[in-house]
Amino acid sequence: MKTVSFLILVQLSSSTFGQIRPNILFIVADDLGWNDVGFRNPDMITPNIDKLAHSGIILNQSYVQPVCSPSRNSWMSGYYPFRSGLQHIVIRPAQPVCAPLNRTFLPQELKKLGYKTHMIGKWHLGFCNVACTPNLRGFDTFFGYYTDAEDYYTKMKGDGIDFHENFEKAKPDGEYSANQFAKRAQEIINNHNSSEPFFMYLPFQSVHEPIEVPKKYEDMYKHIKNKGRRQFSGMVSALDEAIGNITKTLEEQHLMQNTLILFTADNGGWIPYFGNNYPLRGGKITVFEGGTRATAFITGAGITYRNATYNGIIHAVDWMPTLIGAAGGGPTYDGMDGINQWIFIQTLSDSARSEFIYNLDDTPFPLTGKAAIRSGDYKLIEGYPGPYPNWYKPDTVYEGLYNKSLYEEQSISEVEFKMYADKVMLFNIAEDPTEHFDLSEKRPDIVKNLQARLDEYRKQMVKANYPPNDKNGDPKYYDGYWSPGWC
Ligand SMILES: *[C@@H]1O[C@H](CO)[C@@H](O)[C@H](O)[C@H]1NC(C)=O
Ligand SMILES: *[C@@H]1O[C@H](CO)[C@@H](O)[C@H](O)[C@H]1NC(C)=O
Ligand SMILES: *[C@@H]1O[C@H](CO)[C@@H](O)[C@H](O)[C@H]1NC(C)=O
Ligand SMILES: *[C@@H]1O[C@H](CO)[C@@H](O)[C@H](O)[C@H]1NC(C)=O
Ligand SMILES: *[C@@H]1O[C@H](CO)[C@@H](O)[C@H](O)[C@H]1NC(C)=O
Ligand SMILES: *[C@@H]1O[C@H](CO)[C@@H](O)[C@H](O)[C@H]1NC(C)=O
């Protein structure tokens, strides 16, 4: 890729264009779909998110991985999951796995630039060894979850509690996590010494399943008929209120004008759990656009365009170098997949990226889509694309899909998987963003080119690190908490 000259340009310009060392607030909405925000869907009540999005730049082609841990690995390290062994679904709580320790994480770099670094929310990059946990990967403070899909109130994940404050077990006090995380963020902002900048990574639990929300938020959606979708929508509004509370605190502390805010989903909406990506195709766990084209925007310090849209391609791996660029630094690690896109976003000019990998999964039964690449306007999918291949309208009952066994790995039938084994699909995403027209038979020349590109990337792939569960991780050995110490 032609990144070398760009990197020089970016390093020179970031100090002239950007504000030096702004505070950085990196907000993640878990499993939020393309069509789950008010600025795209009038049924959704998200005034705070909409206001922020319109105060800056909506990122209209900002891609993430089809599921959670891989996206987070990309943000923190700047490396693709398929080069990190994290391409196969997510890290399960009892798997002895964590994101490769030989990679420098985003907060570690920001600390070198003088930032105070805080993380509140969901980690999901492994915790079996204490070296894997947020405090030893660059965060001065950490409050939240090691793994995923906890109860929003009790913080139970299976048989264990998953709730931590720095290296300690935290006491779940029954508060809904959106409120609890917002409150913690407000405390940190209120106590912040403004002589140094902060980086706050705020990966909310909302709006991942389980579908749980205080009734007052559900009641905002009397116009939604489907109960699941009504509750899910309430979860989105609780998240929106949490974000509103935090921005209010930033304003009260006069920090808003010097804070850069990035908001992104970690993958598309999850169809069986009422997330919605319409009109995009598919959803979480697929390599279709509905699973990978994130709801995202950027606003605040250094962003001068208002109510703008950026259609340049960004991939999750770009955020590490891009945010460091925004902070006035410029890592140029040899071989990193991410590109510093700061200047291109700031000026709404052509993206430095024309190609990226949606996923490359070498395991025999990939749930997350076997292989897909975007190059220029075209996208090639090789093999199984993932389990939700259609177009799903909101407020429609997909009872058949609300079936736990359908997303457990074991339930993907070998027959279905093999049906796709030798299939390819080709789409022109610029002309057909909703992936209705498979061009693979019409354009075998492009198929061949993109397959050759995929094969090039395959040479860099490391084997998926997806071992069986380890009994030693059982919370019963750690006072009932999911805890490090067993790998
Ligand atoms: C955002 O992307 C969609 C899908 O490609 C496109 O239809 C839409 O026009 C874009 N929005 C803007 C404002 O450019
Ligand atoms: C870091 O870890 C990754 C994933 O295990 C591996 O592929 C890579 O070679 C390692 N890099 C170095 C410099 O050791
Ligand atoms: C937002 O702040 C108000 C006022 O303090 C509080 O009542 C509410 O629970 C907060 N909401 C969230 C989601 O944090
Ligand atoms: C804020 O930080 C500066 C620089 O480190 C220090 O001199 C000052 O005492 C701090 N202020 C407070 C209130 O802690
Ligand atoms: C944003 O721009 C659109 C048209 O491009 C306009 O309809 C809308 O009112 C603007 N919103 C704000 C908050 O400025
Ligand atoms: C869930 O899906 C599995 C696998 O397709 C099927 O065998 C089962 O009958 C479904 N259960 C319900 C309640 O629909």
Side-chain angles (χ1 to χ4, degrees):
M1 225 168 278
K2 44 174 188 176
T3 57
V4 175
S5 53
F6 283 123
L7 286 169
I8 294 163
L9 168 71
V10 169
Q11 278 184 35
L12 289 175
S13 324
S14 58
S15 50
T16 42
F17 276 78
Q19 251 176 297
I20 299 301
R21 300 202 311 162
N23 303 309
I24 299 173
L25 175 58
F26 183 162
I27 304 174
V28 177
D30 204 334
D31 288 3
L32 184 75
W34 178 261
N35 197 31
D36 289 334
V37 282
F39 67 78
R40 292 214 173 96
N41 176 352
D43 277 341
M44 301 303 297
I45 305 167
T46 57
N48 297 297
I49 289 173
D50 299 351
K51 187 172 156 215
L52 280 177
H54 287 305
S55 74
I57 301 173
I58 292 175
L59 303 168
N60 206 26
Q61 285 206 81
S62 182
Y63 287 89
V64 288
Q65 293 294 130
V67 288
C68 178
S69 307
S71 286
R72 287 155 211 258
N73 172 74
S74 306
W75 293 328
M76 289 296 121
S77 71
Y79 282 84
Y80 283 126
F82 77 90
R83 296 185 64 196
S84 313
L86 293 174
Q87 62 268 46
H88 190 61
I89 329 187
V90 301
I91 300 175
R92 310 281 185 196
Q95 276 182 319
V97 171
C98 76
L101 291 170
N102 65 5
R103 302 242 162 95
T104 310
F105 270 20
L106 170 59
Q108 292 174 307
E109 286 297 339
L110 289 171
K111 273 173 78 73
K112 289 186 202 157
L113 296 171
Y115 278 74
K116 291 299 263 186
T117 57
H118 305 280
M119 169 175 168
I120 303 166
K122 168 182 171 180
W123 180 237
H124 214 181
L125 286 173
F127 63 90
C128 56
N129 188 303
V130 72
C132 306
T133 62
N135 290 91
L136 292 181
R137 303 223 66 177
F139 289 102
D140 294 326
T141 75
F142 162 62
F143 181 62
Y145 303 134
Y146 285 151
T147 174
D148 71 332
E150 303 77 8
D151 183 284
Y152 277 74
Y153 301 93
T154 65
K155 320 297 192 265
M156 291 294 289
K157 161 78 177 178
D159 295 334
I161 299 169
D162 182 18
F163 203 43
H164 313 269
E165 177 159 9
N166 301 319
F167 299 103
E168 308 296 322
K169 300 174 172 74
K171 200 168 174 308
D173 59 8
E175 193 174 11
Y176 190 64
S177 73
N179 298 62
Q180 209 163 12
F181 292 155
K183 208 183 279 172
R184 178 55 63 101
Q186 290 172 286
E187 275 166 27
I188 290 175
I189 294 164
N190 281 329
N191 293 321
H192 179 67
N193 180 341
S194 59
S195 68
E196 50 201 0
F198 69 76
F199 169 58
M200 184 182 286
Y201 176 51
L202 187 53
F204 277 98
Q205 170 172 23
S206 314
V207 291
H208 196 289
E209 56 93 12
I211 301 301
E212 293 177 331
V213 71
K215 189 160 180 306
K216 69 168 179 176
Y217 301 103
E218 179 184 347
D219 287 348
M220 294 164 72
Y221 288 90
K222 299 247 157 69
H223 57 294
I224 304 278
K225 292 190 288 293
N226 176 337
K227 181 159 189 281
R229 178 69 184 169
R230 192 162 66 238
Q231 290 176 325
F232 175 91
S233 302
M235 293 165 75
V236 177
S237 288
L239 169 69
D240 181 76
E241 188 182 289
I243 291 170
N245 284 359
I246 294 164
T247 50
K248 187 157 165 280
T249 302
L250 285 171
E251 274 157 14
E252 285 163 2
Q253 295 295 337
H254 310 291
L255 290 170
M256 197 64 173
Q257 66 285 1
N258 195 30
T259 301
L260 174 66
I261 302 178
L262 169 65
F263 175 99
T264 180
D266 64 336
N267 44 248
W270 204 353
I271 304 304
Y273 286 107
F274 313 105
N276 195 263
N277 310 299
Y278 197 78
L280 300 182
R281 184 173 183 176
K284 174 177 175 177
I285 313 186
T286 76
V287 291
F288 288 117
E289 299 290 288
T292 53
R293 192 164 173 170
T295 290
F297 61 81
I298 192 162
T299 185
I303 300 293
T304 51
Y305 283 97
R306 302 277 167 262
N307 197 16
T309 299
Y310 185 57
N311 276 303
I313 295 177
I314 298 166
H315 186 271
V317 292
D318 296 336
W319 287 120
M320 194 249 197
T322 298
L323 293 179
I324 288 168
T332 53
Y333 300 119
D334 282 345
M336 181 188 272
D337 299 305
I339 303 172
N340 179 348
Q341 301 261 31
W342 180 232
I343 197 79
F344 308 105
I345 296 170
Q346 269 189 313
T347 56
L348 298 181
S349 36
D350 288 350
S351 166
R353 175 179 293 288
S354 60
E355 186 167 285
F356 68 89
I357 291 291
Y358 288 83
N359 202 21
L360 268 182
D361 191 351
D362 52 329
T363 48
F365 285 90
L367 185 62
T368 43
K370 191 171 159 54
I373 184 172
R374 168 85 179 262
S375 194
D377 291 345
Y378 287 96
K379 170 178 181 178
L380 179 87
I381 303 179
E382 260 187 15
Y384 187 59
Y388 310 108
N390 295 316
W391 295 266
Y392 307 94
K393 288 191 178 164
D395 201 10
T396 309
V397 184
Y398 295 108
E399 297 293 6
L401 281 177
Y402 194 28
N403 175 345
K404 222 172 158 64
S405 75
L406 281 177
Y407 65 84
E408 291 299 338
E409 191 177 5
Q410 294 75 8
S411 75
I412 299 301
S413 83
E414 199 166 347
V415 177
E416 187 185 2
F417 180 71
K418 283 195 171 146
M419 244 165 53
Y420 283 96
D422 301 317
K423 276 210 172 130
V424 295
M425 287 180 258
L426 179 73
F427 300 101
N428 181 327
I429 297 298
E431 286 172 9
D432 177 29
T434 56
E435 296 170 292
H436 277 85
F437 307 104
D438 179 0
L439 305 172
S440 58
E441 283 180 15
K442 270 196 202 143
R443 298 302 305 265
D445 54 327
I446 299 175
V447 169
K448 205 162 156 242
N449 276 340
L450 292 189
Q451 283 185 311
R453 290 299 300 150
L454 267 180
D455 287 340
E456 278 302 308
Y457 284 99
R458 273 204 184 86
K459 290 180 191 156
Q460 306 177 0
M461 176 158 61
V462 299
K463 198 173 167 327
N465 188 6
Y466 202 78
N469 290 342
D470 183 338
K471 289 194 299 294
N472 296 317
D474 195 312
K476 75 183 175 194
Y477 301 121
Y478 297 94
D479 300 328
Y481 278 73
W482 292 102
S483 299
W486 43 279
C487 77

